[in-house]
Amino acid sequence: MGITREGMHKRRETGGRRSQFRKKRKFEMGRPAAMTRIGEKRVSEVRTRGGNKKFRALRLDSGNFSWGTEVCTRKVRILDVVYNASNNELVRTKTLVKGAIILVDAHPFKSWYESHYGVKVGVKKGQTAAAEEDKKVSNHVERKLASRQKGRSLEEGIDHQMASGRLFAKVTSRP
């Protein structure tokens, strides 16, 4: 039978039936979903039309994630699938699809934020920053950090997530 991407089996916009005037063609071919899961990286190659290749991720353990408001992109570990609007079964089986809400490791973003703005982030209430070592920095670096502080604001939710070491992220590409 085969999976197809053609729309000839659908009704017309007016509601009438479409007549079948040919059989299925190879260029209308579709393929089964990759159903990417969390695990050690496993990517398969698919030969496509014209001898080109597509890459199907069967398992992934990390990805390239962007913090849009801070314009910071880091490769981070994927920890868990938390929510999927389309299907709860995909959450239970930890399947990565476009639009899924997942948990990623916060450490790369946290270390970038602390070095970029020169402030500690993700410190829990009632707990002071234990290791408070003063690094000697030049006047120029001090002025640069001070100028960055002016427009800086970190949402409370992100601060809580940084403290726990996990960030919520949305998958915006097809894995």
Side-chain angles (χ1 to χ4, degrees):
M1 191 69 183
I3 303 167
T4 61
R5 296 180 299 110
E6 50 76 38
M8 293 305 297
H9 68 284
K10 298 268 195 179
R11 287 179 176 262
R12 291 194 176 103
E13 205 172 328
T14 57
R17 298 291 301 268
R18 282 205 182 111
S19 58
Q20 184 187 1
F21 66 94
R22 69 170 180 209
K23 292 183 176 179
K24 293 177 179 178
R25 302 289 193 238
K26 188 160 193 316
F27 59 79
E28 296 169 343
M29 178 177 72
R31 291 188 183 85
M35 301 301 277
T36 308
R37 301 238 157 69
I38 297 175
E40 191 178 339
K41 188 175 179 179
R42 186 184 298 171
V43 178
S44 69
E45 238 176 45
V46 178
R47 186 198 178 274
T48 59
R49 194 166 158 89
N52 297 307
K53 291 174 185 168
K54 282 185 178 178
F55 299 97
R56 291 270 188 273
L58 304 177
R59 291 196 185 151
L60 289 175
D61 56 357
S62 62
N64 214 29
F65 288 89
S66 177
W67 186 354
T69 54
E70 294 294 336
V71 195
C72 170
T73 304
R74 293 288 178 271
K75 185 176 182 178
V76 292
R77 261 181 340 139
I78 299 170
L79 303 173
D80 196 12
V81 178
V82 182
Y83 175 74
N84 196 317
S86 62
N87 193 347
N88 280 334
E89 183 77 4
L90 299 176
V91 177
R92 192 181 63 76
T93 56
K94 298 185 190 314
T95 304
L96 297 169
V97 292
K98 183 175 177 174
I101 305 297
I102 61 174
L103 275 177
V104 296
D105 183 25
H107 184 262
F109 290 112
K110 186 177 178 179
S111 60
W112 173 83
Y113 195 88
E114 288 174 352
S115 67
H116 187 74
Y117 289 108
V119 292
K120 287 283 179 198
V121 67
V123 179
K124 292 176 181 169
K125 287 181 180 172
Q127 182 182 351
T128 57
E132 195 64 46
E133 68 274 351
D134 289 328
K135 293 179 183 172
K136 288 197 172 185
V137 291
S138 65
N139 263 344
H140 176 69
V141 172
E142 281 181 9
R143 286 197 311 273
K144 190 161 59 170
L145 290 176
S147 69
R148 286 176 182 166
Q149 289 288 346
K150 289 174 187 169
R152 182 184 79 85
S153 66
L154 185 66
E155 284 184 31
E156 194 178 329
I158 294 176
D159 198 30
H160 279 298
Q161 290 173 36
M162 291 276 195
S164 69
R166 296 162 168 233
L167 283 172
F168 286 115
K170 184 179 180 180
V171 180
T172 54
S173 63
R174 292 189 173 91

